[in-house]
């Protein structure tokens, strides 16, 4: 009975581990500020060997769809993935992330964030993967921050310290307009 109990426990642990690995290959959310490392996933620390960058207009009108491109680069890794979110000044999710036509085979919305649907093949020198997305800016003018983590991996489908990830340096997007602030007691 004790052998069967140990065997059952091992089977459960293996099933959970396999399910977790498969879920990460198909993208994961909630990692824009903590990164891709640890938790049995990839290298434990950000690596400067992986660069993550963003292009697009950084000053936009309220309530408009704005196009951006996220790029992950590495000198030698074969595949890449990412997690991306937009926050307001209070750290709350802001605006709406949108998947433009033709990108739905590459990216998906997961818990209000964008992530890859499957690892993306990197090409060129340095090896590069890119994803296009849109962000519908909020109606409220102000400053909003785009955060992302990008991962460059070898594609062996195993949690590996040779998979190297890094953060996007937070990018501030300004939504044009006037913000009216009520006077404080000392200003009246």
């Amino acid at each position: 009975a004790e052998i069967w109990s140990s065997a059952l426990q091992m089977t459960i642990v293996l099933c959970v581990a396999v399910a977790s690995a498969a879920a990460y290959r198909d993208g994961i959310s909630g990692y824009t500020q903590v990164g891709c490392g640890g938790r049995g996933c990839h290298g434990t620390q950000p690596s400067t060997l992986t660069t993550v960058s963003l292009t697009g207009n950084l000053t936009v009108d309220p309530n408009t769809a704005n196009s951006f491109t996220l790029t992950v680069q590495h000198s030698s890794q074969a595949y890449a993935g990412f997690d991306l979110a937009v926050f307001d000044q209070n750290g709350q999710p802001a605006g709406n992330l949108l998947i433009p036509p033709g990108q739905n085979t590459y990216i998906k919305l997961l818990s209000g964030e964008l992530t890859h649907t499957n690892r993306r093949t990197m090409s060129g020198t340095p090896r590069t993967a890119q994803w296009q997305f849109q962000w519908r800016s909020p109606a409220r003018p102000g400053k909003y921050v785009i955060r992302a983590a990008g991962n460059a991996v070898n594609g062996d489908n195993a949690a590996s310290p040779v998979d190297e990830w890094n953060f996007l340096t937070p990018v501030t997007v300004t939504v044009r307009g006037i913000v009216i602030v009520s006077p404080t007691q000392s200003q009246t």
Side-chain angles (χ1 to χ4, degrees), residues 53-122:
S53 59
L54 185 80
T55 55
N57 290 330
L58 301 183
T59 303
V60 300
D61 291 323
N63 199 30
T64 57
N66 303 281
S67 297
F68 295 91
T69 299
L70 181 74
T71 302
V72 175
Q73 292 183 314
H74 190 279
S75 63
S76 63
Q77 295 287 29
Y79 304 100
F82 77 98
D83 177 32
L84 180 139
V86 184
F87 299 97
D88 66 14
Q89 298 269 327
N90 298 315
Q92 297 302 307
N96 292 308
L97 290 163
L98 308 168
I99 302 169
Q103 288 294 308
N104 58 351
T105 58
Y106 304 112
I107 59 177
K108 66 182 176 183
L109 278 168
L110 183 62
S111 301
E113 298 182 4
L114 287 179
T115 188
H116 57 280
T117 56
N118 200 340
R119 63 187 185 201
R120 187 111 190 224
T121 301
M122 299 178 84

Side-chain angles (χ1 to χ4, degrees), residues 32 87 137 152:
T32 63
F87 299 97
S137 55

